[in-house]
Coordinates of all heavy atoms in Angstrom, one line a residue:
F136 N 112.6 94.8 106.3 CA 112.8 95.9 105.3 C 113.1 95.3 104.0 O 113.9 94.4 103.9 CB 114.0 96.8 105.8 CG 113.7 97.6 106.9 CD1 114.0 97.2 108.2 CD2 113.1 98.9 106.8 CE1 113.8 97.9 109.4 CE2 112.7 99.6 108.0 CZ 113.1 99.1 109.2
L137 N 112.5 95.9 102.9 CA 112.6 95.4 101.6 C 113.4 96.5 100.7 O 113.1 97.6 100.8 CB 111.3 95.1 100.9 CG 110.5 94.0 101.6 CD1 109.5 94.5 102.5 CD2 109.9 93.1 100.5
T138 N 114.3 95.9 99.9 CA 115.0 96.8 99.0 C 114.0 97.0 97.7 O 113.1 96.3 97.5 CB 116.3 96.1 98.4 OG1 115.9 94.9 97.7 CG2 117.2 95.7 99.6
P139 N 114.4 98.0 96.9 CA 113.6 98.3 95.7 C 113.5 97.0 94.9 O 112.5 96.8 94.2 CB 114.4 99.4 95.0 CG 115.0 100.2 96.2 CD 115.4 99.1 97.1
K140 N 114.6 96.3 94.8 CA 114.5 95.1 94.0 C 113.6 94.0 94.5 O 112.8 93.4 93.7 CB 116.0 94.5 93.9 CG 116.1 93.3 93.0 CD 117.5 92.7 92.9 CE 117.6 91.5 92.0 NZ 119.0 91.1 91.8
Q141 N 113.5 93.8 95.8 CA 112.6 92.9 96.4 C 111.2 93.4 96.3 O 110.3 92.6 96.0 CB 112.9 92.8 97.9 CG 114.2 92.1 98.2 CD 114.6 92.2 99.7 OE1 114.6 93.2 100.3 NE2 115.1 91.0 100.2
V142 N 111.0 94.7 96.4 CA 109.6 95.2 96.2 C 109.1 95.0 94.8 O 108.0 94.6 94.5 CB 109.5 96.7 96.6 CG1 108.2 97.3 96.2 CG2 109.8 96.9 98.1
A143 N 110.0 95.3 93.8 CA 109.7 95.1 92.4 C 109.5 93.6 92.1 O 108.4 93.3 91.4 CB 110.9 95.5 91.5
N144 N 110.2 92.7 92.6 CA 109.9 91.3 92.4 C 108.6 90.9 93.1 O 107.8 90.1 92.5 CB 111.0 90.4 93.0 CG 112.2 90.4 92.1 OD1 112.2 90.7 90.9 ND2 113.4 90.3 92.7
L145 N 108.4 91.4 94.2 CA 107.1 91.0 95.0 C 105.8 91.5 94.2 O 104.9 90.8 94.1 CB 107.2 91.6 96.3 CG 105.9 91.4 97.2 CD1 105.8 89.9 97.6 CD2 106.0 92.3 98.5
L146 N 106.0 92.7 93.7 CA 104.8 93.3 93.0 C 104.7 92.9 91.5 O 103.8 93.2 90.8 CB 104.9 94.9 93.1 CG 104.8 95.4 94.5 CD1 104.8 97.0 94.4 CD2 103.5 95.0 95.1
G147 N 105.8 92.3 91.0 CA 105.8 91.9 89.6 C 106.0 93.0 88.7 O 105.4 93.0 87.5
I148 N 106.8 94.0 89.0 CA 107.0 95.1 88.2 C 108.5 95.3 87.9 O 109.3 94.7 88.7 CB 106.4 96.4 88.8 CG1 107.1 96.8 90.1 CG2 104.9 96.3 88.9 CD1 106.5 98.1 90.8
S149 N 108.9 96.1 87.0 CA 110.3 96.4 86.8 C 110.9 97.3 88.0 O 110.2 97.9 88.7 CB 110.6 97.2 85.5 OG 110.0 98.5 85.5
Q150 N 112.2 97.2 88.0 CA 112.9 98.0 89.1 C 112.7 99.5 88.8 O 112.5 100.3 89.7 CB 114.4 97.7 89.1 CG 114.6 96.6 90.0 CD 116.1 96.4 90.4 OE1 116.8 95.6 89.7 NE2 116.6 97.1 91.4
S151 N 112.7 99.9 87.5 CA 112.4 101.3 87.2 C 111.0 101.7 87.5 O 110.8 102.8 88.1 CB 112.7 101.6 85.7 OG 111.9 100.9 84.9
S152 N 110.0 100.9 87.3 CA 108.7 101.2 87.8 C 108.6 101.3 89.3 O 107.8 102.1 89.9 CB 107.7 100.2 87.3 OG 107.6 100.2 85.9
C153 N 109.4 100.4 90.0 CA 109.4 100.4 91.4 C 110.0 101.7 92.0 O 109.5 102.3 92.9 CB 110.2 99.2 92.0 SG 110.2 99.2 93.8
Y154 N 111.1 102.2 91.4 CA 111.7 103.4 91.8 C 110.7 104.6 91.6 O 110.6 105.5 92.4 CB 113.0 103.8 91.1 CG 114.2 103.0 91.7 CD1 114.8 101.9 91.1 CD2 114.6 103.5 93.0 CE1 115.8 101.3 91.7 CE2 115.7 102.8 93.6 CZ 116.2 101.7 92.9 OH 117.3 101.1 93.5
E155 N 110.0 104.6 90.4 CA 108.9 105.6 90.2 C 107.8 105.6 91.3 O 107.4 106.6 91.8 CB 108.3 105.3 88.8 CG 107.4 106.4 88.4 CD 106.9 106.2 86.9 OE1 107.7 105.7 86.1 OE2 105.7 106.5 86.7
L156 N 107.4 104.4 91.7 CA 106.4 104.2 92.7 C 107.0 104.7 94.0 O 106.3 105.5 94.8 CB 106.1 102.7 92.9 CG 105.0 102.4 93.9 CD1 103.7 103.1 93.6 CD2 104.8 100.8 93.9
M157 N 108.2 104.4 94.3 CA 108.9 104.8 95.6 C 109.1 106.3 95.6 O 109.2 106.8 96.7 CB 110.2 104.1 95.8 CG 110.0 102.6 96.0 SD 111.6 101.8 96.2 CE 111.9 101.8 97.9
N158 N 109.1 107.0 94.5 CA 109.2 108.5 94.5 C 107.9 109.2 94.6 O 107.8 110.4 94.7 CB 110.0 108.9 93.3 CG 111.5 108.6 93.4 OD1 112.0 108.6 94.5 ND2 112.1 108.2 92.3
S159 N 106.7 108.4 94.5 CA 105.4 109.0 94.7 C 105.1 109.5 96.0 O 105.8 109.0 97.0 CB 104.4 108.1 94.1 OG 104.2 107.0 94.9
D160 N 104.2 110.4 96.2 CA 104.0 111.0 97.5 C 103.4 110.1 98.6 O 103.7 110.2 99.7 CB 103.0 112.2 97.3 CG 103.7 113.3 96.7 OD1 105.0 113.4 96.7 OD2 102.9 114.1 96.0
N161 N 102.6 109.1 98.2 CA 101.9 108.3 99.2 C 102.5 107.0 99.5 O 101.9 106.2 100.2 CB 100.4 108.2 98.8 CG 100.2 107.3 97.6 OD1 101.1 107.1 96.8 ND2 99.0 106.8 97.6
F162 N 103.7 106.7 98.8 CA 104.3 105.3 99.0 C 105.1 105.3 100.2 O 105.9 106.3 100.4 CB 105.1 105.0 97.8 CG 105.5 103.5 97.7 CD1 104.5 102.6 97.4 CD2 106.7 103.1 98.1 CE1 104.8 101.2 97.4 CE2 107.0 101.7 98.1 CZ 106.1 100.8 97.8
P163 N 105.1 104.4 101.1 CA 105.7 104.4 102.4 C 107.2 104.0 102.3 O 107.7 103.0 102.8 CB 105.0 103.3 103.2 CG 104.6 102.2 102.1 CD 104.3 103.1 100.9
V164 N 108.0 104.8 101.7 CA 109.5 104.6 101.6 C 110.2 105.2 102.8 O 109.7 106.2 103.4 CB 110.0 105.2 100.3 CG1 109.9 106.7 100.3 CG2 111.4 104.7 100.0

């Protein structure tokens, strides 16, 4: 299981962008 911070680091995006992605309909959160 990955935290938002880990996902952001993995994808090379900011944490705020990661939270935006995690709030989208098709993201597997």
